[in-house]
Amino acid sequence: MHSTKSAFIPYEGLLYSEEEMIARTWDFYQYMDKRRSLRMFSEQAVPKAVIENVILTASTAPSGAHKQPWTFCVVQDPEIKRKIRIAAEKEEYENYHGRMSEQWLEDLKPFGTNWEKGFLEIAPALIIVFKKPYDLTEEQQREKNYYVNESVGLAAGFLLAAIHQAGLVALTHTPSPMNFLQNILDRPENERAFLLIPVGYPADQAMVPDIKRKELEEVVKWY
Ligand code: IYR
C-alpha cells in the first residue's frame, strides 16, 4: 500500500534585493549565453566527481509527481564507446542517405554534420539519458510515470547547464532510431534512450558554427 500521508517542511529559500536579482540573472544569462554545442572533443579524461556532480544536478529537475523518471548511463569504456559509434553511424548513414528530407539536409548545412560520428569515441564520457515511461517494482509490476518527456527534457537541460558550469562541453546528440542503446547497455524494458550526450574538454582550436540567437523581442510576448 502506498502512503497517502504528506509531510511538509519549511522552504529554505534565498532572497535577494531587486538590484541583486537583476545583476544575478544578467550575469547568469551572460554565462549561459557562452554555452555552445560542440562536436570537436579532446580525449582528455574528465574527473569522475564532476560527472557525478552534473548528474546530481540533473536529478534535481522537477518531474511529474516527483517520480524522477530517468537513468543516466555513463560510458567511458572504449570498447562500449566503439560499439555505440558503429551502431549510431549505421543509423545516421541511412538518415543522411534517404531517411531525412531534402529540406532537413538543407537546414543542417550550417552545422557541417554528416553520418560520421567520431566524437562518440573521442569524447572521454558519453552520458546516455534514458526515460522511464513506467517504473518496475521488485515484483515486475508496472507503475506509471507522468509527463515523462517534459520531466526528462528538464533534467537534460539542467545537465547541460551543469556541464557548462564545469567549463566542459557537450553535444545533445539524437541518433535515430536510438533503441540500439538499450541493447548495447543492456537496460531494462522500462527504459528508452532519450538523448546521447558526449561530454569532455574541447579539442585544441575547436570550431563552432557562426550562428546567432534570437533577440528577446522575437521570443517573448507580454500580456
Ligand atoms: N541526428 C543527425 C542529424 C541532425 C539533426 C538535427 I535536427 C541536428 O540539429 C543535428 C543533426 C546527426 O546527429 O547528424
Side-chain angles (χ1 to χ4, degrees):
M1 267 289 279
H2 286 281
S3 165
T4 52
K5 188 171 160 285
S6 61
F8 286 80
I9 53 171
Y11 169 62
E12 286 180 17
L14 297 166
L15 274 185
Y16 304 103
S17 70
E18 289 194 4
E19 255 168 42
E20 282 173 314
M21 281 197 279
I22 293 166
R24 289 175 63 90
T25 50
W26 179 256
D27 290 349
F28 187 61
Y29 158 59
Q30 294 285 315
Y31 187 65
M32 289 303 290
D33 196 33
K34 291 206 173 73
R35 187 203 58 78
R36 295 297 310 256
S37 295
L38 219 92
R39 292 182 170 78
M40 299 163 86
F41 292 86
S42 143
E43 288 185 331
Q44 190 183 341
V46 295
K48 188 176 181 201
V50 173
I51 303 279
E52 289 175 341
N53 290 346
V54 299
I55 291 171
L56 278 170
T57 303
S59 205
T60 68
S63 60
H66 189 52
K67 296 285 187 176
Q68 298 182 268
W70 45 64
T71 303
F72 300 90
C73 293
V74 183
V75 178
Q76 294 168 296
D77 181 322
E79 270 179 40
I80 304 177
K81 287 199 293 182
R82 185 166 180 74
K83 274 191 195 166
I84 291 174
R85 175 189 178 171
I86 290 168
E89 285 186 338
K90 191 162 167 266
E91 295 297 350
E92 293 290 16
Y93 187 88
E94 296 303 326
N95 290 336
Y96 280 87
H97 294 86
R99 286 205 296 226
M100 292 194 297
S101 66
E102 283 303 315
Q103 181 62 53
W104 193 347
L105 292 172
E106 189 63 30
D107 283 339
L108 287 181
K109 275 192 183 152
F111 307 96
T113 59
N114 63 27
W115 63 273
E116 288 175 296
K117 303 299 172 192
F119 56 76
L120 293 174
E121 280 192 81
I122 296 167
L126 308 177
I127 302 181
I128 298 98
V129 185
F130 284 86
K131 66 176 179 181
K132 296 161 87 173
Y134 53 91
D135 284 329
L136 281 177
T137 66
E138 275 176 23
E139 299 80 35
Q140 301 300 299
Q141 289 291 319
R142 292 181 182 199
E143 291 184 344
K144 187 178 154 36
N145 290 324
Y146 310 97
Y147 299 101
V148 171
N149 288 318
E150 291 85 346
S151 303
V152 183
L154 286 160
F158 280 33
L159 181 69
L160 294 176
I163 291 166
H164 182 54
Q165 173 72 3
L168 298 177
V169 292
L171 176 70
T172 35
H173 182 43
T174 51
S176 174
M178 276 205 277
N179 42 358
F180 64 86
L181 290 165
Q182 197 176 8
N183 301 331
I184 292 175
L185 301 174
D186 198 21
R187 299 312 303 157
E189 55 145 276
N190 65 325
E191 293 188 7
R192 311 267 179 280
F194 184 78
L195 279 177
L196 170 45
I197 305 182
V199 182
Y201 295 89
D204 281 345
Q205 285 153 25
M207 304 289 278
V208 291
D210 184 12
I211 48 175
K212 300 276 171 283
R213 296 194 160 108
K214 289 182 178 174
E215 298 293 331
L216 182 62
E217 294 66 34
E218 295 176 85
V219 298
V220 67
K221 302 287 168 212
W222 302 91
Y223 294 91

